[in-house]
PDB file of all heavy atoms in Angstrom:
ATOM      1  N   PRO A 304      27.657  47.529 -45.481  1.00  0.00           N
ATOM      2  CA  PRO A 304      27.727  46.393 -46.405  1.00  0.00           C
ATOM      3  C   PRO A 304      27.314  45.094 -45.729  1.00  0.00           C
ATOM      4  O   PRO A 304      27.254  44.990 -44.504  1.00  0.00           O
ATOM      5  CB  PRO A 304      29.204  46.356 -46.796  1.00  0.00           C
ATOM      6  CG  PRO A 304      29.916  46.968 -45.627  1.00  0.00           C
ATOM      7  CD  PRO A 304      28.988  48.004 -45.067  1.00  0.00           C
ATOM      8  N   ARG A 305      27.022  44.096 -46.536  1.00  0.00           N
ATOM      9  CA  ARG A 305      26.674  42.744 -46.079  1.00  0.00           C
ATOM     10  C   ARG A 305      25.571  42.761 -45.006  1.00  0.00           C
ATOM     11  O   ARG A 305      25.785  42.338 -43.870  1.00  0.00           O
ATOM     12  CB  ARG A 305      27.901  42.008 -45.559  1.00  0.00           C
ATOM     13  CG  ARG A 305      28.977  41.800 -46.607  1.00  0.00           C
ATOM     14  CD  ARG A 305      30.171  41.054 -46.055  1.00  0.00           C
ATOM     15  NE  ARG A 305      30.814  41.820 -44.990  1.00  0.00           N
ATOM     16  CZ  ARG A 305      31.687  42.802 -45.193  1.00  0.00           C
ATOM     17  NH1 ARG A 305      32.004  43.166 -46.417  1.00  0.00           N
ATOM     18  NH2 ARG A 305      32.239  43.430 -44.176  1.00  0.00           N
ATOM     19  N   PRO A 306      24.413  43.285 -45.342  1.00  0.00           N
ATOM     20  CA  PRO A 306      23.320  43.318 -44.361  1.00  0.00           C
ATOM     21  C   PRO A 306      22.836  41.916 -44.010  1.00  0.00           C
ATOM     22  O   PRO A 306      23.012  40.966 -44.775  1.00  0.00           O
ATOM     23  CB  PRO A 306      22.225  44.111 -45.079  1.00  0.00           C
ATOM     24  CG  PRO A 306      22.499  43.908 -46.533  1.00  0.00           C
ATOM     25  CD  PRO A 306      23.998  43.824 -46.653  1.00  0.00           C
ATOM     26  N   LYS A 307      22.216  41.790 -42.837  1.00  0.00           N
ATOM     27  CA  LYS A 307      21.661  40.510 -42.397  1.00  0.00           C
ATOM     28  C   LYS A 307      20.459  40.154 -43.271  1.00  0.00           C
ATOM     29  O   LYS A 307      19.621  41.009 -43.574  1.00  0.00           O
ATOM     30  CB  LYS A 307      21.238  40.571 -40.930  1.00  0.00           C
ATOM     31  CG  LYS A 307      22.363  40.937 -39.980  1.00  0.00           C
ATOM     32  CD  LYS A 307      23.485  39.918 -40.027  1.00  0.00           C
ATOM     33  CE  LYS A 307      24.605  40.300 -39.064  1.00  0.00           C
ATOM     34  NZ  LYS A 307      25.753  39.368 -39.160  1.00  0.00           N
ATOM     35  N   THR A 308      20.398  38.907 -43.676  1.00  0.00           N
ATOM     36  CA  THR A 308      19.326  38.449 -44.555  1.00  0.00           C
ATOM     37  C   THR A 308      18.749  37.127 -44.043  1.00  0.00           C
ATOM     38  O   THR A 308      19.289  36.517 -43.105  1.00  0.00           O
ATOM     39  CB  THR A 308      19.838  38.246 -45.991  1.00  0.00           C
ATOM     40  OG1 THR A 308      20.888  37.253 -45.988  1.00  0.00           O
ATOM     41  CG2 THR A 308      20.379  39.549 -46.573  1.00  0.00           C
ATOM     42  N   ILE A 309      17.690  36.679 -44.677  1.00  0.00           N
ATOM     43  CA  ILE A 309      17.055  35.414 -44.305  1.00  0.00           C
ATOM     44  C   ILE A 309      16.400  34.796 -45.529  1.00  0.00           C
ATOM     45  O   ILE A 309      16.096  35.503 -46.501  1.00  0.00           O
ATOM     46  CB  ILE A 309      16.021  35.636 -43.177  1.00  0.00           C
ATOM     47  CG1 ILE A 309      15.664  34.307 -42.510  1.00  0.00           C
ATOM     48  CG2 ILE A 309      14.775  36.360 -43.701  1.00  0.00           C
ATOM     49  CD1 ILE A 309      14.989  34.469 -41.169  1.00  0.00           C
ATOM     50  N   ARG A 310      16.197  33.488 -45.498  1.00  0.00           N
ATOM     51  CA  ARG A 310      15.586  32.761 -46.613  1.00  0.00           C
ATOM     52  C   ARG A 310      14.067  32.901 -46.570  1.00  0.00           C
ATOM     53  O   ARG A 310      13.486  32.959 -45.480  1.00  0.00           O
ATOM     54  CB  ARG A 310      15.932  31.266 -46.544  1.00  0.00           C
ATOM     55  CG  ARG A 310      17.398  30.977 -46.352  1.00  0.00           C
ATOM     56  CD  ARG A 310      17.661  29.484 -46.136  1.00  0.00           C
ATOM     57  NE  ARG A 310      16.696  28.847 -45.267  1.00  0.00           N
ATOM     58  CZ  ARG A 310      16.700  28.925 -43.944  1.00  0.00           C
ATOM     59  NH1 ARG A 310      17.606  29.637 -43.311  1.00  0.00           N
ATOM     60  NH2 ARG A 310      15.792  28.285 -43.229  1.00  0.00           N
ATOM     61  N   PRO A 311      13.399  32.892 -47.719  1.00  0.00           N
ATOM     62  CA  PRO A 311      11.930  33.013 -47.716  1.00  0.00           C
ATOM     63  C   PRO A 311      11.226  31.832 -47.063  1.00  0.00           C
ATOM     64  O   PRO A 311      10.125  31.978 -46.531  1.00  0.00           O
ATOM     65  CB  PRO A 311      11.578  33.134 -49.200  1.00  0.00           C
ATOM     66  CG  PRO A 311      12.742  32.554 -49.937  1.00  0.00           C
ATOM     67  CD  PRO A 311      13.940  32.866 -49.098  1.00  0.00           C
ATOM     68  N   LYS A 312      11.849  30.641 -47.081  1.00  0.00           N
ATOM     69  CA  LYS A 312      11.211  29.460 -46.502  1.00  0.00           C
ATOM     70  C   LYS A 312      11.497  29.290 -45.012  1.00  0.00           C
ATOM     71  O   LYS A 312      10.978  28.366 -44.383  1.00  0.00           O
ATOM     72  CB  LYS A 312      11.655  28.202 -47.255  1.00  0.00           C
ATOM     73  CG  LYS A 312      11.146  28.138 -48.690  1.00  0.00           C
ATOM     74  CD  LYS A 312      11.533  26.828 -49.360  1.00  0.00           C
ATOM     75  CE  LYS A 312      10.996  26.751 -50.788  1.00  0.00           C
ATOM     76  NZ  LYS A 312      11.378  25.498 -51.461  1.00  0.00           N
ATOM     77  N   ALA A 313      12.302  30.173 -44.452  1.00  0.00           N
ATOM     78  CA  ALA A 313      12.569  30.106 -43.016  1.00  0.00           C
ATOM     79  C   ALA A 313      11.295  30.428 -42.245  1.00  0.00           C
ATOM     80  O   ALA A 313      10.428  31.181 -42.715  1.00  0.00           O
ATOM     81  CB  ALA A 313      13.675  31.083 -42.639  1.00  0.00           C
ATOM     82  N   LEU A 314      11.158  29.859 -41.053  1.00  0.00           N
ATOM     83  CA  LEU A 314      10.009  30.160 -40.219  1.00  0.00           C
ATOM     84  C   LEU A 314      10.116  31.590 -39.704  1.00  0.00           C
ATOM     85  O   LEU A 314      11.211  32.094 -39.431  1.00  0.00           O
ATOM     86  CB  LEU A 314       9.922  29.193 -39.047  1.00  0.00           C
ATOM     87  CG  LEU A 314       9.594  27.731 -39.379  1.00  0.00           C
ATOM     88  CD1 LEU A 314       9.576  26.888 -38.105  1.00  0.00           C
ATOM     89  CD2 LEU A 314       8.254  27.614 -40.092  1.00  0.00           C
ATOM     90  N   ALA A 315       8.954  32.228 -39.550  1.00  0.00           N
ATOM     91  CA  ALA A 315       8.937  33.605 -39.058  1.00  0.00           C
ATOM     92  C   ALA A 315       9.542  33.695 -37.664  1.00  0.00           C
ATOM     93  O   ALA A 315      10.166  34.706 -37.316  1.00  0.00           O
ATOM     94  CB  ALA A 315       7.503  34.127 -39.045  1.00  0.00           C
ATOM     95  N   VAL A 316       9.401  32.649 -36.870  1.00  0.00           N
ATOM     96  CA  VAL A 316       9.975  32.665 -35.521  1.00  0.00           C
ATOM     97  C   VAL A 316      11.495  32.730 -35.586  1.00  0.00           C
ATOM     98  O   VAL A 316      12.146  33.324 -34.718  1.00  0.00           O
ATOM     99  CB  VAL A 316       9.497  31.434 -34.719  1.00  0.00           C
ATOM    100  CG1 VAL A 316      10.070  30.133 -35.281  1.00  0.00           C
ATOM    101  CG2 VAL A 316       9.848  31.564 -33.250  1.00  0.00           C
TER     102      VAL A 316
END
Side-chain angles (χ1 to χ4, degrees):
R305 298 181 297 278
K307 302 299 180 184
T308 60
I309 197 163
R310 311 174 318 281
K312 293 184 179 179
L314 292 179
V316 68

